[in-house]
Each structure stands twice: as structure tokens, then as C-alpha cells.
Amino acid sequence: MNAFSAPYAQPLVGRMPAIEAPRRDIVGVQVAALTRDQALALIARAFDRKRHLRLAYCNAHLANFAANDAALRAALSSFLILPDGIGVDVASQLLHGAHFPANLNGTDFTPALLAAQREPLRVMLLGGKPGIAERAAARLQNEHPQHDFAVLSHGYFSAEDEAALLARLEYERPDLLLVAFGNPRQEKWIAEKLGPRHCSVAAGIGAFFDFLAGEVTRAPLWIRRLRMEWLYRLWLEPGRLWRRYVVGNPIFLLRVLRQRLTGRKVA
């Protein structure tokens, strides 16, 4: 592993000119309606121009957090937000009369993003339990040898450590920073702590490191193609995920139905 020293209403952070990306309101979260190739091209522009782009993936879980947190909704307004999962796709059909052009979940889109970039990228990993990011970085280096991967820290750093981590980011300024704290901590941290001097693209990617490191097993491909991976994860970790899916999914659907009936986003 190598170490290294239709309109989108919000312009990208860092005074980058506005980028065209049609958006759809999903219970108060503005989700971009892009094909995979369009999303790849848009992010490649941020790499090429060395400008700052905040990237998030919206599923029902993140939308539920945002519905109850005005500060989070405000923070997300500065992100390019891609659609993740069947929940937001059903919401798009109900609210806007069309499915999203693609399911751009971070676990699948991040490797596609790395594969699409032929110019070498400097990539840093931040988050996960101690040791997980190192295993994830080693796998990424093996699968994408054209890029350089380094670990910034696990996700359990102290407030005293944070200043040193940010200083290192300023010094090295990677092209891509992958942040794995889980929703909504990763999105809030990116919005509150990072700016153009820290990296070109900062992406909140949830459990991506755990999948790469083999800590969490992904659903078989046929289940993913049916877009039922959430059910597989619930089966694997019912104690941890039952509230997110068994309680959260119906709450999200209720919010979508209320938005459709009233035209308002409600908590």
C-alpha cells in the first residue's frame, strides 16, 4: 500500500461553478436524478479542477434523520446527494412520477468511481473500528493499483486527535476522502469540519469499509438485483438493525405519503 504526502440549485463548495444535476425533493432532502455515467462525469470534474465537493448517499434511513433535524437538512443542502436503495426510488415514483435513473449506493458506486478514474488519485480512508480501514485500504489498493490509498484514522479518535487529523488533511489534501462514521454523523462531520483546503471530494460511505474488510457479508448478487439487500442485512443483524428497517421504513413511507397528499415535508 502506498502512502502519499436539469439544474442543481446549489453551487459546489469552494466557489466551483454550478453543475447541472436535476434534483428531486424526497421528504426535504434534495436528491440528484442522474445516471451512473452522469454522476461519474460530474465527480470527475471536481477531481480535475481540484475543487471541493461533498458527496452523500440518501436512503430512507438518512431521510428519516433529516426529517427531524433542521441542522442536518441545512448541511445536506451543500452536498451532491445520490439515491441509495429501493425506498427513495419508490418515493421518487410516488412524488415525482418517475424512478431515479440509477441506484447509486455508495458500496457499489465507490468502486465504480475509482475504476472510472484513469488518472492516479490520492485516496484517504477515515472511520470504522480500529484496523478495519487498513484492511479496506489494502483491498482497494489491490483492486485499483492506479491509485494511492492511505488511512487517516479509525472512527474512534478523540476531540484532541481531531485537530491533528484535519492538519494532516490540509497538508496532504487527498483527491478523495472516504468517511465511514455512519448516518448522520459522517454527513455532519463533513459539513462542519471540511472545506476546500482538506480534499477535493469528501464522501460519506457508511458500512463500505466493513464490507471490504469482510466484517459484514454482502447479500448475494441475486438479492441485490431484487433490491432487497436491506432485508438480508436485517436477517444478519436483527438486534442492531431492526429499528432502522422495521420501524424506520414504515415511518419513511408515511412521510412520503404525507408529502404527496399535502405537498409539505413533515417530521
Side-chain angles (χ1 to χ4, degrees):
M1 176 167 43
N2 297 321
F4 50 84
S5 359
Y8 180 58
Q10 300 289 339
L12 296 183
V13 178
R15 298 181 181 177
M16 187 174 182
I19 289 180
E20 297 296 315
R23 301 184 304 164
R24 297 176 187 170
D25 188 316
I26 306 296
V27 296
V29 179
Q30 303 299 316
V31 183
L34 299 168
T35 66
R36 190 183 77 155
D37 287 346
Q38 288 170 335
L40 290 172
L42 189 155
I43 297 167
R45 182 176 173 185
F47 290 140
D48 291 342
R49 297 191 175 193
K50 302 294 183 183
R51 298 299 181 92
H52 188 58
L53 169 64
R54 297 167 179 166
L55 180 62
Y57 299 90
C58 182
N59 52 26
H61 187 52
L62 180 60
N64 277 340
F65 277 119
N68 290 321
D69 189 337
L72 176 60
R73 291 197 301 275
L76 289 174
S77 69
S78 68
F79 282 69
L80 171 67
I81 303 175
L82 301 180
D84 172 3
I86 193 170
V88 293
D89 199 36
V90 169
S92 179
Q93 178 67 32
L94 290 172
L95 296 171
H96 304 283
H99 294 288
F100 280 109
N103 175 31
L104 302 176
N105 68 82
T107 302
D108 293 321
F109 185 76
T110 305
L113 177 63
L114 294 169
Q117 298 300 311
R118 296 305 174 190
E119 293 297 318
L121 297 177
R122 297 173 299 161
V123 184
M124 297 196 83
L125 288 71
L126 172 63
K129 296 177 182 178
I132 296 298
E134 285 79 4
R135 286 155 58 189
R139 180 170 172 184
L140 287 171
Q141 190 69 70
N142 182 63
E143 294 178 353
H144 305 279
Q146 72 273 34
H147 306 310
D148 290 331
F149 296 87
V151 174
L152 181 61
S153 174
H154 55 71
Y156 294 85
F157 55 85
S158 67
E160 292 75 18
D161 294 332
E162 186 177 72
L165 298 179
L166 293 172
R168 183 181 172 192
L169 280 175
E170 282 196 58
Y171 179 75
E172 301 195 19
R173 200 184 184 278
D175 299 295
L176 175 62
L177 176 64
L178 301 176
V179 182
F181 297 161
N183 307 123
R185 182 188 167 205
Q186 61 195 19
E187 290 80 17
K188 287 186 173 182
W189 193 85
I190 289 170
E192 293 170 3
K193 304 296 183 178
L194 300 183
R197 65 188 184 277
H198 296 110
C199 60
S200 293
V201 177
I205 43 71
F208 182 53
F209 297 170
D210 290 330
F211 290 128
L212 287 174
E215 289 293 297
V216 177
T217 304
R218 287 208 73 185
L221 183 58
W222 68 270
I223 293 180
R224 283 182 265 159
R225 286 176 173 168
L226 291 174
R227 306 186 72 177
M228 298 298 287
E229 188 168 14
W230 68 271
L231 190 59
Y232 182 83
R233 292 192 65 194
L234 177 61
W235 175 70
L236 285 180
E237 301 181 86
R240 187 174 73 86
L241 296 176
W242 74 269
R243 185 179 298 276
R244 171 173 175 173
Y245 292 125
V246 177
V247 178
N249 284 356
I251 290 174
F252 173 72
L253 181 58
L254 178 60
R255 289 188 168 115
V256 170
L257 293 175
R258 287 180 178 175
Q259 182 179 348
R260 181 178 180 181
L261 290 173
T262 66
R264 295 184 297 109
K265 283 70 69 181
V266 296

